[in-house]
Amino acid sequence: MTLDPKDWDAFRTSAHAMLDASIDKLANAAEGRVWTPLPEAEKANIQANLPIQGVSHDVMQKQLESFLPYGVGNTHPRFFGWVHGAGAPSGLMAEIAAAAMNVNAGGRDHVAPVVERQVIEWSAEIMGLPADTSGLIVSGTSMATIIALKVARDQAMNTAQGQLVGYTSTQTHSCAAQAFDILGLGRDHLRKIACNDALEIDVHALQTAITADKAAGFVPFLIVGTAGAVNMGAIDDLEGLAEIAKAEGLWLHIDGAFGATAVIGEHARARLTGLSRADSLAFDFHKWLQVNYDAGCVLIRDEAAHRGSFSDRPEYLHGSERGLAGGAFWAVDYGPELSRGFRALKVWAHMKEHGVEALAAVIDRNIEQAQYLENLVKASPKLEMLAPVPLNICCFRYKFDGDNDALNEEIVVQLQESGIAVPSTTIINGQLAIRVNLTNHRTKESDLDMLVEAVLRIGGELT
Ligand SMILES: Cc1ncc(COP(=O)(O)O)c(C=O)c1O
């Protein structure tokens, strides 16, 4: 019994049909609805009995093709929700190659570790970190944060005794507190420091908190700064944080999930120089760099510290000088996963195919578009801004004397359900905002015009 096709020609025909359908989807990404909920009939197709007998390639191809319209919608130019990248057609080819090779990229001497290490070197160069910076390609910033904070914790535990505490702002993504929880540090021991009016961490309040914790017998070990906060894109004073970390002997981790990648462009670069002073940095390729899901990265300045936190190879994983068990970079030495796919390939291929210049142009254009949208909002007497626009996120609302939060929530749901656009919501200073995030290389200014028109129309109908 083999699982290879009985008829390779028939398989080839089905696979080509799948590729054609996928290319058609991407070539027409700007057409039609943004989000389309999965119809009941499709759901029933999925929720079938355990398949005992299989189906032909042809049947499976048609089934897979029928799923294509029912994703999140982030390939569409009017997807503005949360922080989702739009991906790129080039990802298809790398994914096909990776599927054909079916490598386990946990270690050993083959193409995957060489590609992965190259992506890490490029990433370090982009962020201004030394060429020998350590790192790993992971599923996303959440996993990258767990890895980075484990290294930081282990380093602190080498020298300090007592309850470790870390510091971050109230705007930091929840993955930092979750990492504290997973690492057994306790969520409460990640202190949430207040922000200034720009929603950046208040560095004076941070200094005060560190001093108070020390006086109370706690052991400060970490500052988590944010380059591009999830709610509205604030960039902390990274240089200021680096100064405090240096003076206090703390580890500086930066969550740069999407914002750090803006360092390749012109508009935000000057505010991101502090990235190069991080001890560790987490960011994503699948957000603003437009690599297909999923691909994130953790960079750790101190390779020995990184390796020391994860490398523990038993006899069945011993490396060798020669043969397949050779190879200098084994991913298993730098993270918790042994078996892992060839995620780095699509990142390497994407960066090679498009080049940093084109990726930077996308980022700068999105920053300009966020300002364009801010101007549209300010020009409309029915709308008001709820937060500054430091980067690529615009938070605003429809003005209403009644239950404003409920109204704006309903506007967002109607935008999504009508298929016109997908913004998300967030809370800024206690008020619900329509949140428009621009990490999309397909968005045009006319898409933002259409969004504002729809908000005004729906808001008018509801009030
Ligand atoms: C600032 C920030 N940090 C962390 C994350 C989590 O990243 P991921 O979803 O790749 O795990 C996000 C996700 O949007 C984010 O915006």
Side-chain angles (χ1 to χ4, degrees):
M1 178 64 180
T2 169
L3 300 180
D4 284 336
K6 291 188 184 60
D7 179 348
W8 280 100
D9 287 337
F11 175 75
R12 193 182 294 274
T13 305
S14 297
H16 281 203
M18 193 64 239
L19 181 60
D20 278 339
S22 305
I23 293 172
D24 286 347
K25 177 180 168 59
L26 294 174
N28 300 311
E31 307 299 322
R33 298 172 56 87
V34 181
W35 171 64
T36 307
L38 188 66
E40 287 306 317
E42 285 291 349
K43 245 181 230 170
N45 259 334
I46 297 167
Q47 296 163 336
N49 292 336
L50 175 70
I52 305 299
Q53 241 108 57
V55 296
S56 69
H57 305 299
D58 182 42
V59 169
M60 183 42 65
Q61 187 277 321
K62 290 196 172 69
Q63 178 92 82
L64 293 174
E65 186 175 336
S66 77
F67 293 164
L68 290 181
Y70 307 116
V72 176
N74 51 323
T75 51
H76 194 289
R78 284 192 301 284
F79 187 95
F80 310 121
W82 302 277
V83 193
H84 285 30
S90 46
L92 284 177
M93 290 205 285
E95 292 284 56
I96 290 173
M101 275 186 275
N102 188 33
V103 299
N104 181 345
R108 306 179 187 90
D109 191 5
H110 51 104
V111 63
V114 179
V115 169
E116 182 157 356
R117 192 49 227 169
Q118 188 56 59
V119 171
I120 292 162
E121 275 177 36
W122 285 342
S123 301
E125 186 179 338
I126 284 171
M127 301 301 169
L129 287 161
D132 61 354
T133 294
S134 189
L136 199 65
I137 308 303
V138 293
S139 54
T141 291
S142 302
M143 178 53 84
T145 303
I146 293 167
I147 293 173
L149 268 46
K150 172 167 159 55
V151 182
R153 183 202 66 179
D154 293 352
Q155 290 301 298
M157 281 168 56
N158 281 344
T159 52
Q161 287 201 329
Q163 178 61 58
L164 297 177
V165 287
Y167 305 85
T168 197
S169 95
T170 51
Q171 289 295 313
T172 299
H173 192 274
S174 56
C175 70
Q178 194 166 40
F180 260 59
D181 183 26
I182 291 168
L183 295 171
L185 291 162
R187 283 172 186 269
D188 290 348
H189 295 124
L190 180 63
R191 312 288 200 220
K192 301 282 178 65
I193 306 298
C195 289
N196 59 23
D197 290 344
L199 300 183
E200 299 156 3
I201 192 167
D202 177 341
V203 284
H204 301 294
L206 168 65
Q207 185 63 69
T208 306
I210 294 171
T211 308
D213 270 335
K214 276 176 153 174
F218 290 101
V219 182
F221 80 107
L222 168 80
I223 298 173
V224 178
T226 297
V230 62
N231 276 328
M232 42 61 79
I235 301 173
D236 285 340
D237 171 6
L238 302 177
E239 296 282 359
L241 295 184
E243 285 305 316
I244 295 178
K246 190 171 152 198
E248 297 283 350
L250 310 184
W251 181 285
L252 176 61
H253 173 75
I254 298 178
D255 176 345
F258 58 99
T261 53
V263 75
I264 62 176
E266 295 293 328
H267 295 331
R269 185 182 298 153
R271 289 175 286 149
L272 291 166
T273 54
L275 291 174
S276 64
R277 299 179 67 182
D279 293 298
S280 59
L281 173 60
F283 72 95
D284 284 320
F285 299 104
H286 58 216
K287 290 189 166 82
W288 223 350
L289 289 177
Q290 314 296 329
V291 171
N292 281 13
Y293 278 83
D294 50 15
C297 183
V298 60
L299 295 174
I300 311 251
R301 180 185 295 273
D302 181 343
E303 194 272 342
H306 190 185
R307 180 183 278 263
S309 278
F310 290 99
S311 185
D312 182 18
R313 284 205 237 158
E315 65 283 2
Y316 43 84
L317 289 177
H318 273 176
S320 60
E321 283 293 313
R322 296 168 44 223
L324 181 54
F329 173 78
W330 283 47
V332 70
D333 290 330
Y334 300 98
E337 293 178 324
L338 174 55
S339 293
R340 53 208 289 282
F342 198 176
R343 203 179 259 136
L345 182 61
K346 63 187 174 190
V347 184
W348 182 89
H350 182 86
M351 293 182 72
K352 201 72 184 157
E353 181 173 339
H354 298 288
V356 170
E357 239 175 60
L359 301 176
V362 168
I363 287 175
D364 277 344
R365 179 156 186 230
N366 283 158
I367 294 173
E368 289 158 21
Q369 287 171 334
Q371 284 156 11
Y372 176 82
L373 178 58
E374 180 180 18
N375 289 336
L376 289 183
V377 170
K378 285 183 170 164
S380 170
K382 295 270 181 208
L383 305 176
E384 64 182 330
M385 292 296 299
L386 288 188
V389 183
L391 205 56
N392 60 325
I393 301 174
C394 188
C395 289
F396 66 99
R397 68 176 180 176
Y398 191 93
K399 287 191 208 166
F400 179 48
D401 284 341
D403 187 345
N404 204 304
D405 286 2
L407 172 76
N408 282 281
E409 182 105 60
E410 179 61 25
I411 291 173
V412 167
V413 170
Q414 288 200 20
L415 285 167
Q416 294 173 356
E417 288 183 343
S418 64
I420 296 173
V422 173
S424 57
T425 62
T426 194
I427 304 290
I428 303 283
N429 296 324
Q431 294 175 317
L432 186 131
I434 299 175
R435 177 181 171 285
V436 176
N437 162 82
L438 290 151
T439 45
N440 192 325
H441 62 98
R442 299 196 175 100
T443 303
K444 297 191 178 116
E445 279 69 7
S446 56
D447 292 305
L448 298 169
D449 295 338
M450 209 186 281
L451 169 77
V452 170
E453 275 162 32
V455 169
L456 289 171
R457 179 178 52 74
I458 298 168
E461 283 163 9
L462 290 170
T463 52

